[in-house]
């Protein structure tokens, strides 16, 4: 029989905490997918409950270095444009204009135009005359150019909340204001309900969409929420004669003056101005007053703090220089509005590993709200988002990155840098150093130039090798690609190809999987066969149920019931732990261990005299493992190479790491051993076509598209197998190797790729190949035959490249297998 609205399934019970733009968007997305038993709790009054949404100026610029954020913004614009309340659209498509007043910023706008093209966003770099045509109030003499994006504009956040509330309510959801959450109920590791000052609400799923109150809700659930609220200045001018008679809220493009950390928009006959130029103003989320308490203190809402004129004064002068009409005006009203920052500036999305059924949808700005809510709804209902969100996954931070001091320091720094011209390799400066390998002291003695990732100090090259770079013939780099690079990297790469080098591989994640069921478990979870004798190493993949690549792994079987797994992100540990049966134990051993990669044609000459075991190719073949000793140090040796040369990864405990390094270093002196950094490493791995998960492929890609079909055994059962169709024919898109035609050209990644003059894909990884004498780039493109010519955006022009066969270096694998 057909189901009536009264008897149709309503899905599990969901409680969403927070009726701001994220909570309202999520209720709409969940109910649209059939989960209609949704209750949204809000401590303040509707429709403007007093969180960040209630004061948000609503500017939406979609272009971002993050593909995920750009897609969230695109989805948000598309959705809000389709919504209206009382005949008023929830989005005003007035365009966006980012200004350059310095040559450095103008160059960055050209790079942003490339990012926009790679993400399918229409935009162009325009001259000063066009800027003043779009925004007549500007002083064009101060402008070098701008980046114009016609599809950007203003989100009317409170209207969008109301429209989505109405749609969700019509499907069965309920929105309850004046309900203050006081606790989260849980049992047996799962959430069971939400306690409020007006009763208890049972729940199968609870979503914290509480904005800057997220850490407060998280503490009730026993879940860490690494989020730092900060106050941000926003002011409105008095009416301007130049805007007199304005009948629309906003008609001109939203404006960014990033060289002065400012943005501007119209409010009828006034201008609204936001500033990131002031000192960081951190706010304690546990000290923010409730709605009525804030009103009693004379504040219009909890998220609105008193305006601080001294902080504003320099920004006002900058505004008056850019917009001469402001020189005779004044600020009529202003406030310091609170909103959320994370240590890396990305949202916090996903289900808590500590408490099943407890979800975060936090640190999401209006710009990304509908897209982020859609991703979380898909995650809850379908088991995974349709978009790669690993950079937003709440598990992405290491334990060392979750201290309150770290979150505060990095959150404040994110505020400071929000409009800075940031290089893709540029690290945060504080707090550093945080995580160091046991080799750190020796690396400093060798003049290591450190960058940072995952809290780890990572050497990118060593000044001790500067003499090796003298006389090398290298193309001159433009200032941008020359940042965080040294010709020493070329010397280290060539030394690896010609002699032997030591690489610090300690930051690579290591898991130990043990127990009677470990073999069956890993064989079921991964695509390749791990049913091999102890001593075997297998390259394999973790897939999700839809066949997307969650991660790539190396699995070393060390004994019958003990495996060492080389993994990627903290999410891998969560994924494996959640699926592990009771007779399998999974633990992260990274912090207690370390690793040296010994690679190069002389690698065997270095290690063989240090061990009693036979390291010959016949006795210790490629993709084999052996527990042995190097000098006095017990090690787990894996015959692997991520740089395409003979060698081993040597693992030991952290307390013995320095002794291992010193033993290898002394033994290698006569062989010309060098310490080599990640800059050389990245060049070498791209010459071999070795993929980096999270950069070259994600769960948006299947193994065959990514060129990893060799790691999939379709004759066995594994998670995601049913989603793969090996008989479907060649993939329509591929991760494609490109060689730049000009030996002097260098790109860094994220550039759009043009085929036949039209954007067709984007670069994932790129590096100069010192062995090949050309820059190597990998890109997601439609399937193209070898030899096809393409173009990559570069600065304000394009560079030619050609589709190549892979691997580009040593296709016969003779250098590794000897």
């Amino acid at each position: 029989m057909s189901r009536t609205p009264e008897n149709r399934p309503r899905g599990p019970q969901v409680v969403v905490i927070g009726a701001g733009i994220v909570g309202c968007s999520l209720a709409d997305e969940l109910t649209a997918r059939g989960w209609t038993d949704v209750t949204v709790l809000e401590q303040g009054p509707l429709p403007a409950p007093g969180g960040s949404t209630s004061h948000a100026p609503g500017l939406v610029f979609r272009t971002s270095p993050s593909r995920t954020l750009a897609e969230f913004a695109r989805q948000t614009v598309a959705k809000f444009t389709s919504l209206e309340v009382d005949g008023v659209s929830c989005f005003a498509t007035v365009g966006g204009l980012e200004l350059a007043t310095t040559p450095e910023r103008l160059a960055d706008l050209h790079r942003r135009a490339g990012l926009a093209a790679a993400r399918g966003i229409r935009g162009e770099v325009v001259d000063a005359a066009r800027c003043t045509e779009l925004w007549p109030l500007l002083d064009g003499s101060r402008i070098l150019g701008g980046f114009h994006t016609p599809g950007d504009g203003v989100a009317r956040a409170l209207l969008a909340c109301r429209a989505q509330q109405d749609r969700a309510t019509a499907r069965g959801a309920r929105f309850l204001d004046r309900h203050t959450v006081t606790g989260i109920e849980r049992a047996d590791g799962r959430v069971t309900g939400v306690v409020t000052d007006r009763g208890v609400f049972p729940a199968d799923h609870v979503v914290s969409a509480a904005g800057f109150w997220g850490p407060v809700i998280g503490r009730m659930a026993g879940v860490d929420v690494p989020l730092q609220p900060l106050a941000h200045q926003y002011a409105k001018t008095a009416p301007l004669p130049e805007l007199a008679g304005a009948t629309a809220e906003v008609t001109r493009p939203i404006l960014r003056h990033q060289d002065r950390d400012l943005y501007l928009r119209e409010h009828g006959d006034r201008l609204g101005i936001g500033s990131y130029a002031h000192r960081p103003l951190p706010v304690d989320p546990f000290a923010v007053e409730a709605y009525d308490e804030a009103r009693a203190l004379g504040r219009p809402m909890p998220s609105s703090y008193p305006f601080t004129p001294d902080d504003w004064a320099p920004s006002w002068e900058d505004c008056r220089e850019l917009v001469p009409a402001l020189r005779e005006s004044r600020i009529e009203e202003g406030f310091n509005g609170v909103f959320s920052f994370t240590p890396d500036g990305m949202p916090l999305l996903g289900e808590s590993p500590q408490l099943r059924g407890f979800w975060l949808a936090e640190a999401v700005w209006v710009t990304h709200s509908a897209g982020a809510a859609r991703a979380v709804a898909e995650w809850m209902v379908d088991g995974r988002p349709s978009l790669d969100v690993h950079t937003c996954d709440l598990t992405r931070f290491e334990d060392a990155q979750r201290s309150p001091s770290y979150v505060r320091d990095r959150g404040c720094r994110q505020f400071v840098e929000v409009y800075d011209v940031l290089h893709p390799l540029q690290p945060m400066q504080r707090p550093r150093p945080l995580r160091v390998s046991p080799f750190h002291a020796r690396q400093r003695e060798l003049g290591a130039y450190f960058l940072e990732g995952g809290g780890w100090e990572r050497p990118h090259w060593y000044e001790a090798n500067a003499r090796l770079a003298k006389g090398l013939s290298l193309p001159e780099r433009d200032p941008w690609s020359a940042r965080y690079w040294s010709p020493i990297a070329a010397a280290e790469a060539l030394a690896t190809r010609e002699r032997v080098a030591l690489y610090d591989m300690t930051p690579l994640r290591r898991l130990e999987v043990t127990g009677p069921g470990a073999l069956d478990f890993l064989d079921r979870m991964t695509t390749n066969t791990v049913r091999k004798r102890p001593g075997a190493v297998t390259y394999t993949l973790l897939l999700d149920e839809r066949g997307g690549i969650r991660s790539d792994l190396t699995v070393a079987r060390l004994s019958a019931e003990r495996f060492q797994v080389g993994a990627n992100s903290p999410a891998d540990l969560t994924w494996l732990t959640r699926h592990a049966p009771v007779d399998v134990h999974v633990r992260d051993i990274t912090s207690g261990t370390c690793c040296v990669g010994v690679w190069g044609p002389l690698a065997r000459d270095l290690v063989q005299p240090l061990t009693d075991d036979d390291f010959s190719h016949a006795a210790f073949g490629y993709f084999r493992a052996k527990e042995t000793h190097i000098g006095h140090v017990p090690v787990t040796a894996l015959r692997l190479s991520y740089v395409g040369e003979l060698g081993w990864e040597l693992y030991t405990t952290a307390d013995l790491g320095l002794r291992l390094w010193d033993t290898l270093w002394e033994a290698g002196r006569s062989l010309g051993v060098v310490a080599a950094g990640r800059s050389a490493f990245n060049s070498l791995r791209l010459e071999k076509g070795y993929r980096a998960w999270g950069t070259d492929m994600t769960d948006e890609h299947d193994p065959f598209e990514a060129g990893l079909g060799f790691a999939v055994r379709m004759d066995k059962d594994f998670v995601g197998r049913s989603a793969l169709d090996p008989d479907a024919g060649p993939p329509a898109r591929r991760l494609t190797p490109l060689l730049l035609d000009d030996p002097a050209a260098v790109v860094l990644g994220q550039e759009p790729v043009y085929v036949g003059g039209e954007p067709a894909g984007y670069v994932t990884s790129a590096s100069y190949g010192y062995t090949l004498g050309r820059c190597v780039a990998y890109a997601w493109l439609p399937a193209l035959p070898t030899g096809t010519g393409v173009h990559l955006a570069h600065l304000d022009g394009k560079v030619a490249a050609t589709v190549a066969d892979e691997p580009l270096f040593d296709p016969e694998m003779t250098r590794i297998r000897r």
Side-chain angles (χ1 to χ4, degrees), residues 296-507:
L297 293 172
R299 289 165 34 207
M301 63 186 80
S303 62
S304 178
Y305 278 70
F307 195 63
T308 49
D310 289 346
D311 291 313
W312 178 257
S315 292
W316 182 235
E317 291 306 311
D318 290 332
C319 290
R320 296 168 75 189
E321 287 186 1
L322 181 71
V323 183
L326 297 178
R327 293 170 188 170
E328 302 301 322
S329 186
R330 70 184 190 282
I331 295 299
E332 195 164 84
E333 59 179 292
F335 64 95
N336 290 1
V338 183
F339 64 143
S340 304
F341 283 84
T342 58
D344 61 1
M346 298 294 287
L348 296 170
L349 309 179
E351 186 180 16
S352 167
Q354 292 83 30
L355 183 61
R356 298 302 302 271
F358 184 81
W359 297 76
L360 295 186
E362 298 289 10
V364 179
W365 294 2
V366 171
T367 298
H368 312 114
S369 54
R374 174 179 173 179
V376 174
E378 290 173 338
W379 212 336
M380 296 174 70
V381 176
D382 303 327
R384 58 155 279 187
S386 56
L387 176 69
D388 166 50
V389 296
H390 81 274
T391 54
C392 306
D393 193 317
L394 62 88
T395 67
R396 67 188 181 272
F397 296 114
E398 307 284 348
D399 289 343
Q401 298 173 298
R402 290 178 172 272
S403 72
S405 295
Y406 185 95
V407 173
R408 183 173 55 253
D409 287 352
R410 288 292 173 100
C412 288
R413 191 63 196 170
Q414 286 291 337
F415 179 91
V416 170
E417 294 183 349
V418 70
Y419 279 170
D420 286 0
V421 177
L422 297 176
H423 193 277
L425 293 176
Q426 185 170 335
M428 287 265 186
Q429 294 306 310
R430 295 180 57 201
R432 289 182 64 194
L434 183 64
R435 307 177 79 187
V436 298
S437 80
F439 324 129
H440 186 69
R442 298 293 183 263
Q443 292 166 343
R444 292 184 63 186
E445 291 169 4
L446 294 169
Y449 185 88
F450 292 101
L451 297 180
E452 184 255 13
W456 287 100
E457 294 296 313
R458 301 175 183 233
H460 273 242
W461 64 82
Y462 295 84
E463 288 297 328
N465 298 323
R467 58 183 175 80
L468 302 177
K470 293 180 179 179
L472 291 180
S473 178
L474 298 172
E476 184 176 351
R477 292 197 172 207
D478 64 83
W480 184 251
S481 63
R483 292 184 67 185
Y484 303 103
W485 173 85
S486 169
I488 297 172
E492 293 173 0
L494 295 173
T496 307
R497 292 277 188 243
E498 295 168 0
R499 298 189 304 280
V500 61
L502 305 184
Y503 287 82
D504 182 1
M505 306 303 290
T506 300

Side-chain angles (χ1 to χ4, degrees), residues 27-108:
D28 182 45
E29 295 290 337
L30 286 171
T31 55
R33 287 165 174 77
W35 282 22
T36 56
D37 192 350
V38 176
T39 300
V40 182
L41 302 175
E42 174 54 58
Q43 66 173 342
L46 294 175
S52 300
T53 301
S54 299
H55 66 66
L59 283 73
V60 176
F61 290 89
R62 292 165 297 162
T63 304
S64 169
S66 164
R67 290 188 63 251
T68 301
L69 292 187
E71 181 60 18
F72 281 170
R74 188 196 66 77
Q75 292 175 4
T76 299
V77 169
K79 183 176 187 180
F80 289 0
T81 302
S82 71
L83 299 176
E84 63 177 41
V85 175
D86 298 333
V88 179
S89 173
C90 294
F91 191 82
T93 308
V94 294
L97 181 61
E98 302 179 48
L99 301 177
T101 59
T102 65
E104 182 185 25
R105 181 68 63 180
L106 185 60
D108 191 57

Side-chain angles (χ1 to χ4, degrees), residues 482-615:
R483 292 184 67 185
Y484 303 103
W485 173 85
S486 169
I488 297 172
E492 293 173 0
L494 295 173
T496 307
R497 292 277 188 243
E498 295 168 0
R499 298 189 304 280
V500 61
L502 305 184
Y503 287 82
D504 182 1
M505 306 303 290
T506 300
L508 296 184
R509 184 170 306 279
R510 293 172 289 287
L511 309 178
E512 183 181 70
V513 181
T514 57
L519 176 61
D520 289 341
F521 168 65
L522 288 172
D523 201 52
R524 184 178 73 256
M525 295 301 297
T526 65
T527 59
N528 212 341
T529 181
V530 296
R531 293 189 181 278
K532 300 173 183 177
R533 292 177 298 173
V537 183
T538 304
Y539 177 79
T540 186
L541 307 174
L542 284 181
L543 304 185
D544 60 26
E545 288 83 354
R546 296 185 187 178
I549 303 172
R550 286 190 57 95
S551 189
D552 64 339
L553 311 176
T554 54
V555 178
R557 190 177 189 187
L558 302 180
S559 65
E561 298 181 358
R562 182 166 64 95
F563 296 79
Q564 179 173 303
V565 177
N568 287 294
S569 74
D572 294 344
L573 176 64
T574 300
W575 179 258
L576 291 173
T577 300
R578 283 188 171 177
H579 286 83
V582 294
D583 61 346
V584 174
H585 182 60
V586 183
R587 70 185 184 102
D588 192 323
I589 61 172
T590 309
S591 296
T593 56
C594 59
C595 178
V596 181
V598 185
W599 290 312
L602 301 182
R604 185 175 289 116
D605 299 76
L606 195 160
V607 299
Q608 184 62 81
L610 301 173
T611 180
D612 292 335
D613 282 303
D614 187 352
F615 271 53

